[in-house]
Amino acid sequence: MKELANTILEGEPYNKTFIHSVPMLDKEMFFKAGRMVVWSILHGGPGFPFLNPTIYQLLLEPKDAVYCIDDVIDLDVKNKIHKVYMFFLYI
């Protein structure tokens, strides 16, 4: 399960998010990973404990999920979000 997580997820241990990969999407890797997680849960296994807590909440109850800038893994994107935030803070 850990090898699968390292293939389709990125980020810190137990705080991972899904990578953006069109080839993996075309190969149905995310679908296959989902099946493995379901089988794990059905047979009393851990499921997929590697996910970021916000993403996990989003999968369970999308309306109740709360996002913050710390949930963004990509530093370039995080910096851009911070710049926009600071711009609107001082308008």
Side-chain angles (χ1 to χ4, degrees):
M1 207 49 113
K2 236 180 202 179
E3 290 177 24
L4 176 65
N6 291 333
T7 303
I8 65 169
L9 301 172
E10 64 182 352
E12 299 296 318
Y14 301 99
N15 193 25
K16 294 183 178 281
T17 60
F18 292 99
I19 64 169
H20 178 266
S21 174
V22 174
M24 291 183 94
L25 190 61
D26 289 341
K27 293 179 185 175
E28 298 184 345
M29 290 297 291
F30 298 102
F31 177 76
K32 292 172 185 174
R35 289 178 113 178
M36 289 180 69
V37 170
V38 169
W39 275 102
S40 173
I41 292 170
L42 286 175
H43 294 282
F48 222 53
F50 315 104
L51 283 179
N52 171 293
T54 303
I55 292 180
Y56 184 77
Q57 182 67 30
L58 179 65
L59 291 172
L60 293 180
E61 299 177 40
K63 293 179 183 178
D64 297 333
V66 178
Y67 313 99
C68 70
I69 196 165
D70 294 332
D71 294 325
V72 178
I73 301 295
D74 188 317
L75 291 177
D76 186 43
V77 173
K78 188 182 282 194
N79 289 333
K80 288 177 182 177
I81 292 170
H82 184 70
K83 285 180 183 179
V84 170
Y85 172 77
M86 295 306 287
F87 175 78
F88 283 107
L89 186 64
Y90 293 110
I91 286 185

